[in-house]
Amino acid sequence: MYTAEIPNLDLRTSWVRNRTMIYKEGQVCDRFFVVRDGRVLVGAVDNTKGVVDIIGQNELLGTEVIAGSARYRYSALTYPDCQIQAIPRSELPSLYAQYPDLQSRIFSSSEEQTARIIARMDTRLKKGSLASLAMVIRELADPELRVFGVSQQVIGQMAMMETREATNKHLGKMKDRGVIEVAYVNIKVKDEAHLAYIAETGSFQPAYAR
């Protein structure tokens, strides 16, 4: 799913329970995190509202610290239980010395996160909500083409859908055309090529356009 993974670091790892707020938007940032297991919702995520991204396994969280920002831009909420390594800003120099390629990986991971948020926004503006929803499903799907444990509400927020009803309508259309199978927190991609076509064009293949 993601390419710029952070290698295993010889640091203390903590388990954090589901729906725990790791930090809030505007809070002074003095550390960043590596998600080792589970997921973290990023955005205005009180009660999982306003999600802009999901940080997954071996990805960075709180990259504002690395960029030198004084405060976190978004809030971060675990979803579900997570295994996380916390890294204080003050420990960065020693970690860079211990892991020679860590700095380049950190910046690559940070850039990748920013790029995928911008790509979603661009797709939503230029190709419409159906395309952005297909894009998010492709982004979140695992190697077995499943999106597991992510609610339709969160997927819709990441795709910048205007309402939950609009999300359900588009998901229903994709289901009716055999592109996906849908349950509340599970989606199975049935026709990967068709889903890619939707993400690229914002429409269904001609044979399914009705």
Side-chain angles (χ1 to χ4, degrees), residues 20-25 40-43 45 61-62 74-78:
T20 297
M21 190 72 71
I22 299 175
Y23 55 77
K24 290 188 176 182
E25 177 184 355
V40 177
L41 305 182
V42 175
V45 294
L61 176 67
Y74 298 113
S75 299
L77 185 77
T78 56

Short mmCIF file of all heavy atoms in Angstrom, two decimals, residues 20-25 40-43 45 61-62 74-78:
data_model
loop_
_atom_site.label_atom_id
_atom_site.label_comp_id
_atom_site.label_asym_id
_atom_site.label_seq_id
_atom_site.Cartn_x
_atom_site.Cartn_y
_atom_site.Cartn_z
N THR A 20 -8.21 6.28 20.78
CA THR A 20 -7.42 7.12 21.68
C THR A 20 -6.85 8.29 20.88
O THR A 20 -6.27 8.10 19.83
CB THR A 20 -6.26 6.32 22.30
OG1 THR A 20 -6.80 5.26 23.10
CG2 THR A 20 -5.38 7.21 23.18
N MET A 21 -7.05 9.51 21.39
CA MET A 21 -6.51 10.69 20.73
C MET A 21 -5.03 10.80 21.08
O MET A 21 -4.66 11.01 22.23
CB MET A 21 -7.25 11.95 21.19
CG MET A 21 -6.93 13.19 20.40
SD MET A 21 -7.63 13.18 18.73
CE MET A 21 -9.39 13.39 19.09
N ILE A 22 -4.18 10.64 20.08
CA ILE A 22 -2.73 10.70 20.30
C ILE A 22 -2.28 12.15 20.48
O ILE A 22 -1.46 12.47 21.33
CB ILE A 22 -1.99 10.03 19.13
CG1 ILE A 22 -2.38 8.56 19.06
CG2 ILE A 22 -0.47 10.15 19.32
CD1 ILE A 22 -1.80 7.84 17.87
N TYR A 23 -2.82 13.01 19.64
CA TYR A 23 -2.61 14.46 19.82
C TYR A 23 -3.74 15.19 19.12
O TYR A 23 -4.47 14.63 18.30
CB TYR A 23 -1.25 14.91 19.29
CG TYR A 23 -0.96 14.55 17.85
CD1 TYR A 23 -1.51 15.27 16.79
CD2 TYR A 23 -0.11 13.49 17.54
CE1 TYR A 23 -1.25 14.94 15.48
CE2 TYR A 23 0.16 13.16 16.22
CZ TYR A 23 -0.40 13.88 15.20
OH TYR A 23 -0.15 13.55 13.89
N LYS A 24 -3.91 16.47 19.46
CA LYS A 24 -4.98 17.27 18.89
C LYS A 24 -4.42 18.38 18.02
O LYS A 24 -3.31 18.87 18.23
CB LYS A 24 -5.85 17.87 20.00
CG LYS A 24 -6.68 16.86 20.75
CD LYS A 24 -7.66 17.53 21.69
CE LYS A 24 -8.57 16.52 22.37
NZ LYS A 24 -9.57 17.16 23.25
N GLU A 25 -5.24 18.77 17.05
CA GLU A 25 -4.90 19.89 16.18
C GLU A 25 -4.57 21.13 17.01
O GLU A 25 -5.29 21.48 17.94
CB GLU A 25 -6.08 20.20 15.26
CG GLU A 25 -5.90 21.38 14.35
CD GLU A 25 -7.15 21.68 13.56
OE1 GLU A 25 -8.13 20.90 13.66
OE2 GLU A 25 -7.16 22.68 12.83
N VAL A 40 -4.14 4.85 12.17
CA VAL A 40 -4.44 6.10 12.84
C VAL A 40 -5.15 7.02 11.85
O VAL A 40 -4.68 7.23 10.73
CB VAL A 40 -3.16 6.78 13.37
CG1 VAL A 40 -3.50 8.13 14.00
CG2 VAL A 40 -2.46 5.89 14.40
N LEU A 41 -6.30 7.56 12.26
CA LEU A 41 -7.02 8.53 11.45
C LEU A 41 -6.43 9.91 11.69
O LEU A 41 -6.17 10.29 12.84
CB LEU A 41 -8.50 8.55 11.83
CG LEU A 41 -9.28 7.23 11.78
CD1 LEU A 41 -10.74 7.48 12.14
CD2 LEU A 41 -9.15 6.57 10.43
N VAL A 42 -6.24 10.66 10.64
CA VAL A 42 -5.67 12.01 10.73
C VAL A 42 -6.66 13.00 10.14
O VAL A 42 -7.22 12.77 9.07
CB VAL A 42 -4.33 12.08 9.97
CG1 VAL A 42 -3.80 13.50 9.96
CG2 VAL A 42 -3.30 11.15 10.62
N GLY A 43 -6.87 14.10 10.83
CA GLY A 43 -7.78 15.14 10.37
C GLY A 43 -8.44 15.81 11.56
O GLY A 43 -7.89 15.82 12.66
N VAL A 45 -10.59 14.79 13.67
CA VAL A 45 -11.11 13.43 13.82
C VAL A 45 -11.83 13.17 15.14
O VAL A 45 -11.97 12.03 15.55
CB VAL A 45 -9.97 12.39 13.66
CG1 VAL A 45 -9.44 12.40 12.25
CG2 VAL A 45 -8.85 12.65 14.65
N LEU A 61 3.70 9.39 11.67
CA LEU A 61 2.60 10.18 12.19
C LEU A 61 3.19 11.40 12.89
O LEU A 61 4.17 11.27 13.62
CB LEU A 61 1.78 9.34 13.16
CG LEU A 61 0.61 10.01 13.89
CD1 LEU A 61 -0.48 10.38 12.89
CD2 LEU A 61 0.07 9.07 14.96
N GLY A 62 2.60 12.56 12.66
CA GLY A 62 3.12 13.77 13.31
C GLY A 62 4.34 14.33 12.63
O GLY A 62 5.28 14.79 13.27
N TYR A 74 -3.12 18.61 12.24
CA TYR A 74 -4.34 17.83 12.38
C TYR A 74 -4.36 17.13 13.73
O TYR A 74 -3.36 17.12 14.46
CB TYR A 74 -4.43 16.77 11.27
CG TYR A 74 -4.49 17.30 9.87
CD1 TYR A 74 -3.43 17.10 8.98
CD2 TYR A 74 -5.61 17.99 9.41
CE1 TYR A 74 -3.49 17.58 7.68
CE2 TYR A 74 -5.68 18.47 8.12
CZ TYR A 74 -4.61 18.26 7.25
OH TYR A 74 -4.67 18.74 5.97
N SER A 75 -5.50 16.51 14.04
CA SER A 75 -5.59 15.61 15.18
C SER A 75 -5.34 14.18 14.71
O SER A 75 -5.43 13.89 13.52
CB SER A 75 -6.98 15.71 15.83
OG SER A 75 -7.22 17.02 16.30
N ALA A 76 -5.04 13.29 15.65
CA ALA A 76 -4.74 11.90 15.31
C ALA A 76 -5.44 10.97 16.30
O ALA A 76 -5.30 11.13 17.52
CB ALA A 76 -3.24 11.65 15.33
N LEU A 77 -6.21 10.01 15.76
CA LEU A 77 -7.03 9.12 16.57
C LEU A 77 -6.77 7.68 16.16
O LEU A 77 -6.83 7.35 14.96
CB LEU A 77 -8.51 9.45 16.36
CG LEU A 77 -9.54 8.71 17.20
CD1 LEU A 77 -9.57 9.29 18.62
CD2 LEU A 77 -10.92 8.83 16.56
N THR A 78 -6.47 6.80 17.11
CA THR A 78 -6.21 5.39 16.79
C THR A 78 -7.50 4.73 16.30
O THR A 78 -8.59 5.03 16.77
CB THR A 78 -5.68 4.62 18.00
OG1 THR A 78 -6.62 4.74 19.09
CG2 THR A 78 -4.34 5.16 18.45
#
